[in-house]
């Protein structure tokens, strides 16, 4: 059996509101060209905790903890046409979103 052609779009961002806005724009442009869409699938949020010393000399045990959250989404576009690829490449997405597209 031959596997159907698909585009896999992975999105990453520090802000969940910005990534959701980018997902809506991608879905609207793909649906306008008539492509089938699976997703958006929310992937697990990557959480990084960074401990920092409050005082470098006297209080060695006192630390502040900062965390960085990376939100991720996955969209599969099944059987994309050339119009779908053109509309996705000309899409104006908000700043702060990392996009990775695989065929």
């Amino acid at each position: 059996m031959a596997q159907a052609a698909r585009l896999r779009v992975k999105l990453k961002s520090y802000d969940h509101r910005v990534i959701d806005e980018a997902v809506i724009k991608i879905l609207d442009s793909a649906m306008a060209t008539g492509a089938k869409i699976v997703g958006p699938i929310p992937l697990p949020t990557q959480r990084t905790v960074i401990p920092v010393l409050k005082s470098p000399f006297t209080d060695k045990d006192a630390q502040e903890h900062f965390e960085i959250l990376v939100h991720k989404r996955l969209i599969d576009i099944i059987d994309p046409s050339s119009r779908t690829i053109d509309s996705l490449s000309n899409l104006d997405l908000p700043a702060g979103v990392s996009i990775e597209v695989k065929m």
Side-chain angles (χ1 to χ4, degrees):
M1 264 193 287
Q3 185 177 5
R6 72 166 185 210
L7 284 177
R8 176 161 279 183
V9 181
K10 290 183 183 179
L11 302 166
K12 293 181 184 178
S13 177
Y14 294 119
D15 189 6
H16 66 91
R17 293 178 296 247
V18 175
I19 198 168
D20 290 336
E21 182 181 329
V23 164
I24 290 171
K25 286 185 178 184
I26 290 172
L27 291 180
D28 288 343
S29 67
M31 290 170 122
T33 60
K36 295 179 184 177
I37 299 171
V38 176
I41 301 167
L43 298 176
T45 302
Q46 178 183 350
R47 180 176 175 252
T48 305
V49 178
I50 302 169
V52 178
L53 291 175
K54 283 187 179 182
S55 174
F57 299 113
T58 57
D59 300 321
K60 288 288 188 183
D61 295 332
Q63 293 184 353
E64 289 184 275
H65 296 288
F66 298 99
E67 72 176 358
I68 299 172
L69 298 175
V70 178
H71 301 276
K72 302 174 192 175
R73 303 286 186 270
L74 178 72
I75 301 171
D76 280 340
I77 301 173
I78 301 170
D79 292 332
S81 64
S82 61
R83 279 185 46 212
T84 306
I85 296 170
D86 288 340
S87 68
L88 288 176
S89 64
N90 295 331
L91 199 58
D92 185 28
L93 295 176
V97 178
S98 171
I99 301 170
E100 181 182 329
V101 179
K102 287 186 180 178
M103 295 243 5

